[in-house]
Amino acid sequence: MKHTRIDLEMGVNQTFYISPLFDMHRDTPHHDHKALDRIMRERSALPNHYFIDGGDSDSLLLPTDAKRFRNSAQPEYARGLDSVLNATVKQNVAFYKRYPKANWAVKGYGNHEVSILKYHNFDIVEKVCEEVGINRGGYSGWISFVVARKNSNDRKAFTILYHHGFPTGEAEGGRAWARRYSSTMAGWQVFCYGHNHQLRAEPSVFTELGVNGYENTYYRYIVNAGTYEKNSPLNDEIGSYTEVKGMGLKVIGSPLISVTLRRDIANAKRDKMYFDYKVTV
Protein backbone atom coordinates (compact mmCIF):
# COMPACT_ATOMS: atom_id res chain seq x y z
CA MET A 1 0.00 0.00 0.00
CA LYS A 2 1.11 3.56 -0.65
CA HIS A 3 0.54 6.68 1.43
CA THR A 4 0.30 10.14 -0.11
CA ARG A 5 -0.01 13.39 1.81
CA ILE A 6 -1.61 16.52 0.36
CA ASP A 7 -1.22 19.73 2.42
CA LEU A 8 -3.94 22.38 2.26
CA GLU A 9 -4.47 25.70 4.01
CA MET A 10 -8.10 26.69 4.40
CA GLY A 11 -10.39 28.94 6.34
CA VAL A 12 -13.39 27.81 8.35
CA ASN A 13 -16.40 26.99 6.13
CA GLN A 14 -14.20 26.61 3.05
CA THR A 15 -14.58 23.45 0.96
CA PHE A 16 -12.26 21.20 -0.99
CA TYR A 17 -13.36 18.56 -3.47
CA ILE A 18 -12.18 15.12 -4.56
CA SER A 19 -13.17 13.17 -7.69
CA PRO A 20 -12.14 9.51 -7.89
CA LEU A 21 -11.65 8.49 -11.54
CA PHE A 22 -11.55 4.71 -11.76
CA ASP A 23 -11.76 2.46 -14.83
CA MET A 24 -11.66 5.18 -17.47
CA HIS A 25 -10.49 2.72 -20.17
CA ARG A 26 -9.63 5.60 -22.48
CA ASP A 27 -8.23 3.36 -25.23
CA THR A 28 -11.32 1.20 -25.79
CA PRO A 29 -13.95 1.66 -28.54
CA HIS A 30 -16.60 1.86 -25.80
CA HIS A 31 -14.94 4.78 -24.02
CA ASP A 32 -17.20 7.80 -23.45
CA HIS A 33 -14.87 10.65 -24.43
CA LYS A 34 -17.52 13.36 -24.13
CA ALA A 35 -18.58 12.39 -20.63
CA LEU A 36 -15.00 12.27 -19.34
CA ASP A 37 -14.10 15.58 -20.98
CA ARG A 38 -17.14 17.23 -19.40
CA ILE A 39 -16.25 15.91 -15.94
CA MET A 40 -12.63 16.96 -16.33
CA ARG A 41 -13.53 20.52 -17.29
CA GLU A 42 -16.34 20.99 -14.74
CA ARG A 43 -14.47 19.50 -11.80
CA SER A 44 -11.18 21.23 -12.64
CA ALA A 45 -13.00 24.56 -12.34
CA LEU A 46 -13.96 23.86 -8.71
CA PRO A 47 -11.77 25.50 -6.06
CA ASN A 48 -9.38 23.22 -4.17
CA HIS A 49 -10.28 20.21 -6.31
CA TYR A 50 -8.25 17.00 -6.66
CA PHE A 51 -8.62 14.00 -8.94
CA ILE A 52 -7.67 10.46 -7.94
CA ASP A 53 -6.74 8.18 -10.83
CA GLY A 54 -7.65 4.78 -9.39
CA GLY A 55 -6.28 2.58 -12.16
CA ASP A 56 -7.36 0.98 -15.42
CA SER A 57 -6.97 4.33 -17.13
CA ASP A 58 -6.44 2.25 -20.27
CA SER A 59 -7.19 -1.36 -21.13
CA LEU A 60 -3.70 -1.89 -22.56
CA LEU A 61 -4.69 -4.95 -24.58
CA LEU A 62 -1.78 -6.38 -26.58
CA PRO A 63 -1.84 -9.20 -29.16
CA THR A 64 -0.07 -11.52 -26.72
CA ASP A 65 -2.97 -11.21 -24.26
CA ALA A 66 -4.80 -14.33 -25.39
CA LYS A 67 -7.49 -13.91 -22.77
CA ARG A 68 -8.76 -10.45 -23.74
CA PHE A 69 -7.21 -9.20 -26.97
CA ARG A 70 -9.21 -8.72 -30.15
CA ASN A 71 -8.46 -6.49 -33.12
CA SER A 72 -11.60 -4.41 -32.68
CA ALA A 73 -10.50 -3.46 -29.14
CA GLN A 74 -7.36 -1.69 -30.32
CA PRO A 75 -7.43 2.11 -30.34
CA GLU A 76 -6.85 3.89 -33.63
CA TYR A 77 -3.45 5.22 -32.55
CA ALA A 78 -2.16 1.65 -32.00
CA ARG A 79 -3.13 0.18 -35.36
CA GLY A 80 -0.06 -1.10 -37.20
CA LEU A 81 2.39 -0.07 -34.46
CA ASP A 82 5.05 -2.26 -32.92
CA SER A 83 5.60 0.15 -29.99
CA VAL A 84 2.04 0.21 -28.67
CA LEU A 85 3.09 0.87 -25.07
CA ASN A 86 5.23 3.85 -26.06
CA ALA A 87 2.31 5.26 -28.03
CA THR A 88 0.03 4.72 -25.03
CA VAL A 89 2.41 6.63 -22.77
CA LYS A 90 2.28 9.56 -25.22
CA GLN A 91 -1.53 9.41 -25.24
CA ASN A 92 -1.59 9.43 -21.43
CA VAL A 93 0.76 12.39 -21.20
CA ALA A 94 -1.35 14.29 -23.74
CA PHE A 95 -4.49 13.57 -21.71
CA TYR A 96 -3.10 14.95 -18.44
CA LYS A 97 -1.62 18.01 -20.14
CA ARG A 98 -4.94 18.72 -21.84
CA TYR A 99 -6.33 19.89 -18.49
CA PRO A 100 -3.73 22.25 -16.98
CA LYS A 101 -6.09 23.34 -14.19
CA ALA A 102 -6.54 19.77 -12.93
CA ASN A 103 -4.85 18.81 -9.65
CA TRP A 104 -4.02 15.11 -9.26
CA ALA A 105 -3.61 13.55 -5.83
CA VAL A 106 -2.28 10.25 -7.20
CA LYS A 107 -2.22 8.04 -10.26
CA GLY A 108 -2.62 4.43 -9.14
CA TYR A 109 -2.66 0.93 -10.59
CA GLY A 110 -5.48 -1.28 -11.79
CA ASN A 111 -5.41 -4.88 -12.91
CA HIS A 112 -4.65 -3.80 -16.50
CA GLU A 113 -1.55 -1.81 -15.49
CA VAL A 114 -0.43 -4.68 -13.24
CA SER A 115 -0.86 -7.14 -16.11
CA ILE A 116 1.44 -5.06 -18.33
CA LEU A 117 4.02 -4.87 -15.54
CA LYS A 118 3.80 -8.61 -14.90
CA TYR A 119 3.95 -9.90 -18.47
CA HIS A 120 5.85 -7.14 -20.29
CA ASN A 121 8.10 -5.72 -17.55
CA PHE A 122 6.86 -2.20 -18.26
CA ASP A 123 5.59 0.09 -15.51
CA ILE A 124 3.36 2.47 -17.45
CA VAL A 125 2.12 4.18 -14.26
CA GLU A 126 5.63 5.07 -13.14
CA LYS A 127 6.56 6.27 -16.64
CA VAL A 128 3.53 8.53 -17.00
CA CYS A 129 3.90 9.93 -13.47
CA GLU A 130 7.52 10.85 -14.20
CA GLU A 131 6.56 12.51 -17.48
CA VAL A 132 3.70 14.56 -16.05
CA GLY A 133 4.77 15.08 -12.43
CA ILE A 134 1.98 13.21 -10.64
CA ASN A 135 2.30 11.31 -7.36
CA ARG A 136 2.51 7.58 -8.05
CA GLY A 137 0.00 5.67 -5.99
CA GLY A 138 -0.47 1.97 -5.50
CA TYR A 139 -3.07 -0.67 -6.25
CA SER A 140 -4.30 0.37 -2.82
CA GLY A 141 -3.35 3.01 -0.31
CA TRP A 142 -4.23 6.07 1.73
CA ILE A 143 -4.38 9.72 0.72
CA SER A 144 -4.27 12.15 3.65
CA PHE A 145 -5.51 15.67 2.96
CA VAL A 146 -3.92 17.52 5.87
CA VAL A 147 -5.74 20.80 6.37
CA ALA A 148 -4.15 23.69 8.26
CA ARG A 149 -6.63 26.31 9.42
CA LYS A 150 -5.66 29.80 8.34
CA ASN A 151 -4.18 32.00 11.07
CA SER A 152 -3.97 29.02 13.40
CA ASN A 153 -1.71 26.12 14.32
CA ASP A 154 -4.66 23.70 14.10
CA ARG A 155 -4.35 20.81 11.66
CA LYS A 156 -6.64 17.95 10.84
CA ALA A 157 -6.44 15.12 8.28
CA PHE A 158 -9.20 13.91 5.98
CA THR A 159 -8.22 10.45 4.74
CA ILE A 160 -9.24 8.54 1.64
CA LEU A 161 -8.66 4.79 1.64
CA TYR A 162 -8.58 3.35 -1.88
CA HIS A 163 -8.26 -0.02 -3.57
CA HIS A 164 -8.69 -0.61 -7.29
CA GLY A 165 -11.02 -3.53 -6.59
CA PHE A 166 -11.06 -7.29 -6.62
CA PRO A 167 -12.65 -9.77 -9.08
CA THR A 168 -15.06 -11.07 -6.45
CA GLY A 169 -16.34 -7.51 -6.25
CA GLU A 170 -18.58 -8.33 -9.20
CA ALA A 171 -21.14 -9.89 -6.85
CA GLU A 172 -23.70 -7.44 -5.44
CA GLY A 173 -21.66 -4.53 -6.72
CA GLY A 174 -18.75 -5.51 -4.49
CA ARG A 175 -20.44 -4.23 -1.34
CA ALA A 176 -19.73 -7.33 0.78
CA TRP A 177 -16.06 -7.36 -0.21
CA ALA A 178 -15.74 -3.58 0.23
CA ARG A 179 -17.24 -3.67 3.73
CA ARG A 180 -14.99 -6.56 4.74
CA TYR A 181 -11.81 -5.03 3.31
CA SER A 182 -12.37 -1.51 4.64
CA SER A 183 -13.27 -2.83 8.11
CA THR A 184 -9.65 -4.01 8.49
CA MET A 185 -8.34 -0.46 8.01
CA ALA A 186 -8.64 2.40 10.47
CA GLY A 187 -8.53 6.16 10.21
CA TRP A 188 -10.40 6.78 6.95
CA GLN A 189 -13.50 8.80 6.16
CA VAL A 190 -14.15 7.62 2.57
CA PHE A 191 -13.19 4.29 0.99
CA CYS A 192 -13.10 4.29 -2.82
CA TYR A 193 -12.91 1.20 -5.00
CA GLY A 194 -13.54 0.25 -8.61
CA HIS A 195 -12.93 -2.64 -11.03
CA ASN A 196 -16.59 -3.62 -11.39
CA HIS A 197 -17.58 -0.41 -13.25
CA GLN A 198 -20.46 0.38 -10.88
CA LEU A 199 -21.32 3.77 -9.38
CA ARG A 200 -22.80 4.16 -5.89
CA ALA A 201 -22.10 5.61 -2.44
CA GLU A 202 -23.04 3.82 0.76
CA PRO A 203 -22.96 5.79 4.03
CA SER A 204 -22.43 4.14 7.39
CA VAL A 205 -22.34 5.59 10.90
CA PHE A 206 -19.07 5.35 12.80
CA THR A 207 -18.57 6.26 16.47
CA GLU A 208 -15.27 6.73 18.25
CA LEU A 209 -14.30 7.76 21.76
CA GLY A 210 -12.05 10.79 21.91
CA VAL A 211 -9.04 11.19 24.22
CA ASN A 212 -11.02 13.62 26.37
CA GLY A 213 -13.82 11.13 26.90
CA TYR A 214 -16.33 12.57 24.47
CA GLU A 215 -18.13 10.53 21.84
CA ASN A 216 -17.72 11.54 18.21
CA THR A 217 -20.22 10.12 15.73
CA TYR A 218 -19.91 10.72 12.00
CA TYR A 219 -20.56 9.19 8.60
CA ARG A 220 -18.11 7.13 6.65
CA TYR A 221 -18.73 6.40 2.99
CA ILE A 222 -17.94 3.33 0.91
CA VAL A 223 -17.83 4.55 -2.68
CA ASN A 224 -17.92 2.47 -5.87
CA ALA A 225 -16.21 4.91 -8.19
CA GLY A 226 -17.84 4.33 -11.61
CA THR A 227 -16.40 4.06 -15.12
CA TYR A 228 -16.20 5.73 -18.53
CA GLU A 229 -16.59 2.55 -20.54
CA LYS A 230 -20.05 2.73 -22.08
CA ASN A 231 -22.66 0.00 -22.13
CA SER A 232 -22.58 -2.29 -25.16
CA PRO A 233 -24.33 -0.79 -28.19
CA LEU A 234 -27.08 -2.68 -29.97
CA ASN A 235 -25.76 -5.58 -32.07
CA ASP A 236 -22.30 -5.35 -30.51
CA GLU A 237 -20.71 -8.70 -31.28
CA ILE A 238 -18.83 -9.37 -28.05
CA GLY A 239 -20.15 -6.98 -25.43
CA SER A 240 -18.65 -4.75 -22.77
CA TYR A 241 -17.21 -5.92 -19.46
CA THR A 242 -20.35 -5.51 -17.37
CA GLU A 243 -22.52 -7.24 -19.96
CA VAL A 244 -20.21 -10.26 -20.15
CA LYS A 245 -20.08 -10.46 -16.35
CA GLY A 246 -23.86 -10.24 -16.07
CA MET A 247 -23.90 -7.05 -13.99
CA GLY A 248 -26.43 -5.16 -16.07
CA LEU A 249 -26.29 -1.58 -17.29
CA LYS A 250 -23.92 0.89 -15.71
CA VAL A 251 -23.99 4.62 -15.00
CA ILE A 252 -21.21 6.63 -16.64
CA GLY A 253 -19.55 9.14 -14.36
CA SER A 254 -17.59 9.77 -11.17
CA PRO A 255 -18.65 10.61 -7.60
CA LEU A 256 -17.86 14.00 -6.10
CA ILE A 257 -16.62 14.17 -2.52
CA SER A 258 -17.18 17.58 -0.89
CA VAL A 259 -15.30 18.33 2.36
CA THR A 260 -15.94 21.52 4.34
CA LEU A 261 -13.83 22.65 7.27
CA ARG A 262 -15.89 23.51 10.34
CA ARG A 263 -15.10 24.75 13.82
CA ASP A 264 -17.07 23.73 16.90
CA ILE A 265 -17.09 26.71 19.24
CA ALA A 266 -20.19 25.70 21.21
CA ASN A 267 -18.68 22.75 23.04
CA ALA A 268 -15.26 23.25 24.61
CA LYS A 269 -14.80 19.50 25.12
CA ARG A 270 -14.91 18.74 21.42
CA ASP A 271 -12.22 19.17 18.79
CA LYS A 272 -12.10 22.75 17.59
CA MET A 273 -11.95 21.60 13.97
CA TYR A 274 -13.99 18.98 12.19
CA PHE A 275 -15.01 18.07 8.64
CA ASP A 276 -18.50 18.24 7.23
CA TYR A 277 -18.51 16.03 4.14
CA LYS A 278 -20.77 14.29 1.68
CA VAL A 279 -20.56 12.16 -1.46
CA THR A 280 -22.66 12.91 -4.53
CA VAL A 281 -23.12 10.39 -7.32
Side-chain angles (χ1 to χ4, degrees):
M1 298 181 72
K2 298 264 296 186
H3 176 251
T4 303
R5 172 172 170 157
I6 307 293
D7 287 292
L8 299 171
E9 184 180 44
M10 300 176 60
V12 175
N13 298 325
Q14 286 189 321
T15 302
F16 67 95
Y17 302 90
I18 307 161
S19 291
L21 296 178
F22 283 57
D23 299 284
M24 289 184 279
H25 292 281
R26 294 190 301 257
D27 60 349
T28 68
H30 293 146
H31 174 65
D32 196 329
H33 296 274
K34 291 182 179 179
L36 179 58
D37 181 68
R38 177 178 58 81
I39 287 292
M40 289 299 304
R41 296 185 187 281
E42 290 179 355
R43 303 281 175 89
S44 296
L46 293 172
N48 303 312
H49 178 274
Y50 288 83
F51 289 105
I52 299 172
D53 184 334
D56 283 4
S57 301
D58 298 282
S59 294
L60 303 168
L61 302 183
L62 300 179
T64 52
D65 187 348
K67 179 181 177 181
R68 293 177 293 194
F69 179 80
R70 61 186 191 270
N71 287 323
S72 63
Q74 277 196 307
E76 289 293 334
Y77 68 78
R79 302 282 169 86
L81 288 183
D82 294 324
S83 56
V84 174
L85 291 178
N86 287 343
T88 303
V89 169
K90 293 178 181 178
Q91 290 290 324
N92 270 261
V93 171
F95 170 79
Y96 293 109
K97 290 186 176 181
R98 193 177 304 140
Y99 306 99
K101 294 182 179 180
N103 298 313
W104 295 90
V106 298
K107 176 176 173 59
Y109 294 78
N111 52 292
H112 288 263
E113 289 89 356
V114 169
S115 179
I116 291 297
L117 180 59
K118 181 178 180 181
Y119 294 109
H120 301 279
N121 301 312
F122 188 79
D123 192 334
I124 191 169
V125 174
E126 182 178 45
K127 182 65 174 175
V128 172
C129 287
E130 289 176 350
E131 291 281 344
V132 185
I134 300 176
N135 294 318
R136 181 164 65 99
Y139 199 94
S140 61
W142 290 275
I143 306 171
S144 298
F145 293 86
V146 180
V147 178
R149 183 164 63 90
K150 288 182 178 180
N151 304 317
S152 168
N153 292 323
D154 293 340
R155 281 175 171 77
K156 195 170 184 66
F158 183 88
T159 301
I160 300 285
L161 172 68
Y162 68 92
H163 189 290
H164 176 73
F166 191 66
T168 55
E170 294 161 6
E172 295 299 321
R175 290 191 291 274
W177 167 82
R179 294 189 196 107
R180 184 174 66 252
Y181 176 82
S182 61
S183 69
T184 66
M185 307 292 174
W188 55 271
Q189 283 76 44
V190 177
F191 170 51
C192 298
Y193 71 101
H195 184 71
N196 61 8
H197 295 196
Q198 303 298 300
L199 178 62
R200 63 171 58 85
E202 177 184 335
S204 61
V205 177
F206 179 78
T207 300
E208 66 177 3
L209 188 65
V211 293
N212 294 325
Y214 62 84
E215 183 182 66
N216 186 25
T217 301
Y218 56 88
Y219 281 104
R220 297 199 302 187
Y221 288 88
I222 296 177
V223 177
N224 206 167
T227 185
Y228 288 89
E229 185 181 33
K230 295 183 286 188
N231 297 292
S232 298
L234 185 64
N235 298 323
D236 188 32
E237 293 186 4
I238 296 179
S240 66
Y241 173 82
T242 50
E243 179 184 346
V244 172
K245 297 297 183 181
M247 292 188 288
L249 298 178
K250 54 198 169 187
V251 178
I252 301 299
S254 299
L256 179 64
I257 303 167
S258 306
V259 187
T260 303
L261 180 65
R262 305 291 192 195
R263 186 183 181 197
D264 187 350
I265 59 175
N267 190 339
K269 293 183 178 181
R270 295 179 64 91
D271 281 346
K272 292 182 179 180
M273 291 171 53
Y274 68 97
F275 294 118
D276 184 9
Y277 52 95
K278 64 180 181 179
V279 180
T280 305
V281 296

